[in-house]
């Protein structure tokens, strides 16, 4: 059974250390394949080697208080879970090369609802019949490498430079009048949980189709 497109999380321009910690925990909880980090020099993502014999009390680098303990465990089992990039352009080039869609979680005039975004991803994960039959280059790229979600700064949201790199924007519908926007990690939790739920639904549908083909 083919795996649904994976999810990624982009962390950049986040001010509060606690929010970065929560974002990492959220990424682990909802099956994010990788976290891409640009900047954030004040946060220690690097983990010391587990086989280092130095006493951690005498070696501050062994005692990482930034990354939550459960996230550290996940990072040790998945060494490439967090990838740091020198600058924004290097990350965008990587996303383009891997055909990963960049989606900004932002209150934006063109933002889709979560369900609209997932419908769009479902439709674009496979080339259309016209694309399959055409030998000319299409202007609509096929983002079959997954979706990277970009969350904005706590105060200013996603800046204009980063918005220009996004292929789409997603908004979280609100049904009350409590707040104009949600906390950065709360918003990411809602988006990533819904995406993970969609992945599970896609896998179930694929298994059902496969079983139907076998039985017929």
């Amino acid at each position: 059974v083919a795996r649904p497109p994976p999810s990624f999380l982009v962390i950049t321009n986040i001010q509060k250390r606690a929010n970065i910690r929560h974002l990492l925990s959220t990424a682990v909880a909802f099956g994010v394949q990788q976290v891409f980090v640009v900047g954030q020099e004040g946060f220690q993502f690097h983990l010391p080697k587990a086989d280092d014999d130095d006493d951690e009390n005498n070696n501050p680098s062994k005692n990482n208080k930034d990354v939550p303990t459960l996230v550290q465990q996940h990072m040790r089992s998945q060494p490439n879970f967090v990838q740091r990039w020198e600058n924004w352009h290097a990350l965008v080039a990587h996303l383009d090369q891997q055909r990963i869609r960049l989606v900004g979680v932002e209150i934006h005039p063109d933002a889709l609802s979560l369900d609209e975004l997932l419908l769009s991803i479902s439709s674009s994960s496979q080339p259309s019949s016209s694309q399959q039959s055409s030998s000319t280059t299409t202007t609509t790229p096929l983002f079959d490498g997954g979706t990277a979600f970009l969350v904005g700064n706590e105060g200013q949201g996603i800046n204009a430079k980063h918005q220009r790199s996004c292929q789409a924007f997603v908004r979280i519908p609100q049904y009350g009048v409590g707040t104009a926007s949600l906390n950065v990690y709360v918003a990411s939790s809602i988006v990533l949980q819904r995406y993970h739920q969609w992945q599970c639904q896609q896998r179930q549908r694929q298994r059902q189709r496969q079983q139907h083909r076998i039985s017929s």
Side-chain angles (χ1 to χ4, degrees):
V1 178
R3 295 179 59 186
S7 64
F8 305 86
L9 179 65
V10 179
I11 297 179
T12 186
N13 200 28
I14 301 298
Q15 293 177 329
K16 296 181 179 179
R17 188 177 303 270
N19 281 337
I20 299 177
R21 288 171 57 87
H22 289 311
L23 287 169
L24 290 172
S25 296
T26 296
V28 173
F30 297 121
V32 167
Q33 181 165 302
Q34 282 184 304
V35 175
F36 300 133
V37 179
V38 179
Q40 310 294 163
E41 286 80 4
F43 192 94
Q44 183 184 355
F45 290 91
H46 173 73
L47 299 183
K49 294 181 180 179
D51 58 355
D52 194 335
D53 293 330
D54 292 342
D55 184 352
E56 68 178 12
N57 294 324
N58 297 325
N59 184 0
S61 67
K62 283 181 65 67
N63 192 9
N64 188 323
K65 295 184 180 298
D66 282 342
V67 179
T69 301
L70 291 178
V71 178
Q72 290 190 37
Q73 294 175 4
H74 184 76
M75 290 173 65
R76 293 196 188 282
S77 65
Q78 304 288 334
N80 295 321
F81 178 65
V82 174
Q83 275 195 331
R84 301 201 72 157
W85 294 88
E86 181 179 355
N87 55 57
W88 180 255
H89 295 294
L91 171 61
V92 171
H94 171 75
L95 298 179
D96 289 344
Q97 183 183 39
Q98 299 299 314
R99 304 205 294 194
I100 298 173
R101 173 193 290 100
L102 181 62
V103 174
V105 182
E106 179 78 357
I107 301 173
H108 187 278
D110 298 326
L112 303 172
S113 70
L114 277 168
D115 287 339
E116 289 172 336
L117 174 70
L118 294 174
L119 179 61
S120 171
I121 293 173
S122 298
S123 301
S124 63
S125 293
Q126 298 294 330
S128 65
S129 57
S130 61
Q131 290 173 335
Q132 291 175 333
S133 61
S134 175
S135 60
T136 60
T137 302
T138 176
T139 57
T140 303
L142 176 61
F143 295 108
D144 55 4
T147 299
F149 291 101
L150 169 66
V151 291
N153 174 270
E154 294 92 334
Q156 288 75 42
I158 301 175
N159 65 38
K161 171 184 173 182
H162 294 172
Q163 285 192 29
R164 287 192 292 271
S165 301
C166 293
Q167 280 81 38
F169 297 93
V170 65
R171 57 181 170 80
I172 300 171
Q174 296 187 38
Y175 307 102
V177 292
T179 180
S181 62
L182 298 172
N183 175 280
V184 60
Y185 83 84
V186 172
S188 68
S189 297
I190 294 172
V191 171
L192 292 175
Q193 190 277 339
R194 181 66 185 92
Y195 190 92
H196 182 68
Q197 184 182 48
W198 172 82
Q199 287 176 309
C200 293
Q201 293 169 346
Q202 293 297 304
R203 281 192 287 266
Q204 180 64 24
R205 291 192 183 104
Q206 289 169 1
R207 282 193 290 266
Q208 291 173 345
R209 286 195 292 266
Q210 188 177 47
Q211 291 171 357
H212 177 72
R213 286 195 296 268
I214 293 173
S215 60
S216 59

